Structures are given as C-alpha cells and as structure tokens.
Amino acid sequence: MERSSLNSLGVYRKSLALRDLSEAVASYFSYNKEILSLRKIDSFRDDISQSLKNDALLITREVEQAALSNSYSVRMRSLNYINIMTRNILAYCNGLERDGVKEKEYLNLLRKEIKIFRTSFKKWRRSFHNRND
C-alpha cells in the first residue's frame, strides 16, 4: 500500500478520529492548559492526559506502519502494539474517572470511539491473517 492511499483505509480514518478526540479530551481534562506543548507535567491528571494524547498518536503511527510495511513481523508487532495502546486508553479513562472528573460523558464518548476503532481494527487485522505474504 502506498502512503497516498492510507486515507482510503477505514481503520486509518478511525485512528485519526480517535487521535483527534483523545487530544480534545486530554486538553479538556488537563489542569495544565499547555499540555499540547509537552511542557512540565504538574499533576496526576496532567500525566494521564499526556499519556492519552501520546498513545492515541502512536496508534495512528502504528496503523500507518502496518499498512505500509511489506514485512509480516513488522505488521504483527504493530498490530500487537495497537492492542496494547487501545487497552491503555481505556485504562486512562478509568484513571481520569477515579481522579474525580465530573464530565463522565466525555469519557464515555472516548470509550465509545475506542470500541468503534477496535471493531474496525479487528476486521483489518483478520485481513492480514488471511493473506499469504
């Protein structure tokens, strides 16, 4: 697959939506409103928010890498890594909830987006197992 055709890949578009929503949620819940500038992290909530943003970005990068790679081992490593990152994001939602955020609807929206992404991701992942490289 070529880089120019990534936008035609459903799981890639879902990863972009997940990344954008994660950045918005991270910015909203962070005490440090300069979180997107990667400055000093001052609180537990800021730490979770930064991790949330970073992991969502890594998911998009790993989807790109898996889609563009011709190597089966690179693809499988990326797919495993994406699984870990999606579980992490769900754990960050739980952490923010335990930290006392009152706007749980934003966390639930992010959880729903993860669920949508994972459905698309699992379908895409099966396509790799069905091909012989």
Side-chain angles (χ1 to χ4, degrees):
M1 172 176 276
E2 295 180 23
R3 183 167 292 281
S4 60
S5 62
L6 273 174
N7 283 328
S8 66
L9 192 60
V11 71
Y12 180 71
R13 289 192 310 273
K14 300 283 187 209
S15 75
L16 292 175
L18 176 62
R19 182 198 64 194
D20 293 345
L21 182 59
S22 295
E23 284 182 0
V25 168
S27 300
Y28 183 78
F29 286 128
S30 175
Y31 292 127
N32 177 4
K33 295 308 174 190
E34 294 184 19
I35 190 168
L36 297 178
S37 68
L38 298 175
R39 300 208 179 179
K40 183 181 173 195
I41 296 172
D42 295 326
S43 70
F44 177 69
R45 191 175 293 186
D46 289 340
D47 188 32
I48 291 176
S49 297
Q50 186 64 45
S51 297
L52 172 64
K53 185 184 83 62
N54 287 339
D55 285 1
L57 180 63
L58 288 172
I59 287 172
T60 300
R61 287 184 183 161
E62 291 296 325
V63 168
E64 287 177 12
Q65 185 171 351
L68 297 174
S69 179
N70 291 326
S71 169
Y72 181 80
S73 63
V74 168
R75 276 191 239 134
M76 290 304 109
R77 187 197 63 76
S78 290
L79 296 176
N80 287 331
Y81 196 66
I82 292 167
N83 262 335
I84 293 167
M85 294 299 106
T86 56
R87 285 193 309 263
N88 285 353
I89 291 175
L90 290 173
Y92 301 146
C93 289
N94 293 339
L96 286 168
E97 199 167 6
R98 287 188 189 110
D99 194 48
V101 298
K102 295 186 182 357
E103 300 87 350
K104 293 185 187 352
E105 63 272 7
Y106 294 123
L107 296 177
N108 290 334
L109 184 63
L110 185 55
R111 287 178 178 122
K112 183 178 177 184
E113 193 66 36
I114 281 285
K115 185 176 181 179
I116 291 168
F117 171 78
R118 287 179 99 175
T119 301
S120 178
F121 172 70
K122 287 176 184 178
K123 181 179 175 184
W124 181 61
R125 184 179 61 197
R126 281 191 302 271
S127 74
F128 286 124
H129 293 299
N130 293 335
R131 287 193 289 187
N132 291 331
D133 293 326

